[in-house]
Amino acid sequence: MITDKTVLGSETQEYFINMGPQHPSTHGVLRLLLTLDGEIIRKVEPHMGYIHRSIEKMCEKDSYQQIVHLTDRMDYLSCHINNEAVCLTVEQGLQLEIPERVKVIRTIISELTRLSSHQLWWGVMGMDLGAITTFLYGFRDREMITDIFEETCGARLTMNYNVPGGLMFDIHPNFQKRTKDFISYFKTKLPEYKELLTGNVIFEERTKGIGYISKEDVISYGVTGPSGRGSGFSCDIRKHHPYSAYDRVQFKEILYEDGDSYARYMVRMDEMVESMHIIEQLIDNIPEGDYKAKTKAVIKLPAGEYYKRVETARGELGVYIISDNKKSPYRVKFRSPGFSNLSALDTMARGCKIADLVAMMSTLDLVIPDIDR
Amino acid sequence: MRLVKNIKQYFGEIFHAIRSLITGMKVTGYYFFHPKEIVTQQYPENRETLKMFDRFRGEVILIHDENNLHRCTGCSACEIACPNGTIEIINKKDVDPETGKSTKAIDKFVYHLSMCTFCNLCIIACPTDAIKMAQTFEHAVFDRSKLTKVLNNPGSKLMPGIRE
């Protein structure tokens, strides 16, 4: 880290540069106002709002069934988990008993969503560091998961498979076979990921020791998910506050203590193995029963406040609903993981080089529509 | 002694770096010599063989049978269920020439494809299973007005026995 202002006897001056909003490595319309001293980052100020669609306000006019499809458009890479969060909150308000079959299917599809999100992240992470090959490999394996979603849910990305009380329709007869095929296929392909990128010397040089953030800072900024666990902050909602079928499966919470870009990368790589482990435990034991609990056509939550949180691929998503006993909520608030994770970027980036900022943003796994909503 | 250690470390790092690059190239090389494992599709050429899954949500259609009869009673359940105002149902009064009794029937089932988010809520809401999702996906047109569609065929009638 260069702290001396005078280099080679001449006075240097700090200057500003805009990174984004149309920058390929910000993965969306995020604008970063960088204060630089040569190549060294002194300050990062994120400016948001370029893709704000007022989803929270739109929820206030929609019925509880209609809210669900809007959450697809927040964090589109973990859309099933977002849908599940809204449904769990509404079900909590209605005090509805959910069939066991629904819980297990929701958990399996959530983990598939997490896998597909991490695969895409892995491909894009390599691409941000200049390796286009990884992008194609990540998308090759992700295609199998999107096929499973397309067959069972009817859409590849914005699935909208959950409804308050259960699922939209039962799983497709091919679902179990396809999922098992995918797991056995991906187990042979995951070592390729490690050979291609994890051990690569250029990748290691650009991530190890770069973008350090301490456990204290992670907790005070509210960084959750794999980004938080890379600094040793034990924050997995699936482990600490189990929902759906997570209380009946065995899995490890991946923790790395280093707090640098490489640690955050390794958390996600290991999480893919754990996700496959969870799916393997559940896929053969889907209980028989209804795919949906009986609900009224017009859902009215009793007046009060409801909060539920889930673990998406990026961290902790909280859904907060205030109801005044009408058919649409009085106020909806989403605590999105991307927003809190982005706030830690300034602390991470200070003193690093501008080229490493791209790697840092990639390991935070930012999805801009999730930040702006 | 220290110098020897430093030199060893220096060359060790170089060898480690070269080995890691070769390991990565091995994977790429494997796929270079096994072109059968490439998974990409030649899209516009494979239109004939490309089949979408049954549940794939392409666009909303109104089901007509061979006698040009549909099952839509004009109850507007889909219009209420839609979050974006994609569906507009315009009803008319049909007068039976024999009995003189007037019944409600759909005049136009208007569907704005440009506003649709393919959430499937209308299909679930329909009490008579009159509409379904088609598997078409090539929706690009040159004029925006072509995306507003009237789904009922001209001269189509309600299937008898649906309203009861």
Side-chain angles (χ1 to χ4, degrees), chain A residues 185-214:
Chain A
Y185 164 84
F186 192 54
K187 274 196 171 157
T188 62
K189 295 296 172 188
L190 197 58
E192 261 181 21
Y193 284 27
K194 294 205 167 121
E195 283 169 29
L196 264 175
L197 197 62
T198 311
N200 188 291
V201 63
I202 303 165
F203 177 77
E204 279 185 352
E205 290 284 313
R206 288 198 62 184
T207 49
K208 273 190 179 165
I210 308 279
Y212 173 75
I213 186 160
S214 67

Side-chain angles (χ1 to χ4, degrees), chain B residues 18-160:
Chain B
I18 292 170
R19 203 172 57 224
S20 80
L21 291 177
I22 288 172
T23 332
M25 283 306 288
K26 233 194 266 168
V27 179
T28 328
Y30 174 79
Y31 286 102
F32 185 74
F33 290 109
H34 292 77
K36 276 198 178 146
E37 296 203 22
I38 292 172
V39 288
T40 45
Q41 297 179 10
Q42 299 294 320
Y43 161 56
E45 286 84 19
N46 69 350
R47 272 204 186 115
E48 276 75 42
T49 53
L50 188 64
K51 199 180 168 298
M52 307 309 282
F53 292 110
D54 294 339
R55 288 181 185 177
F56 176 73
R57 307 202 281 260
E59 64 173 321
V60 177
I61 54 163
L62 191 67
I63 308 164
H64 289 80
D65 69 357
E66 61 277 10
N67 301 323
N68 208 11
L69 300 174
H70 59 74
R71 299 164 71 91
C72 179
T73 58
C75 69
S76 300
C78 49
E79 197 178 341
I80 296 163
C82 181
N84 323 299
T86 306
I87 297 171
E88 266 179 81
I89 291 178
I90 301 162
N91 281 319
K92 63 177 178 189
K93 285 262 158 70
D94 260 356
V95 181
D96 199 322
E98 287 170 18
T99 56
K101 244 167 76 178
S102 71
T103 49
K104 196 173 80 170
I106 53 164
D107 184 19
K108 274 178 185 166
F109 190 113
V110 185
Y111 171 56
H112 302 276
L113 179 58
S114 50
M115 289 201 276
C116 187
T117 52
F118 310 104
C119 64
N120 212 37
L121 290 175
C122 52
I123 314 290
I124 285 184
C126 184
T128 56
D129 294 333
I131 47 176
K132 70 164 189 176
M133 281 286 182
Q135 276 77 49
T136 50
F137 58 91
E138 288 172 339
H139 294 316
V141 285
F142 282 104
D143 188 2
R144 195 176 62 172
S145 62
K146 282 184 186 149
L147 292 172
T148 300
K149 297 179 180 180
V150 177
L151 296 188
N152 51 329
N153 291 351
S156 64
K157 282 209 167 56
L158 177 66
M159 220 177 267

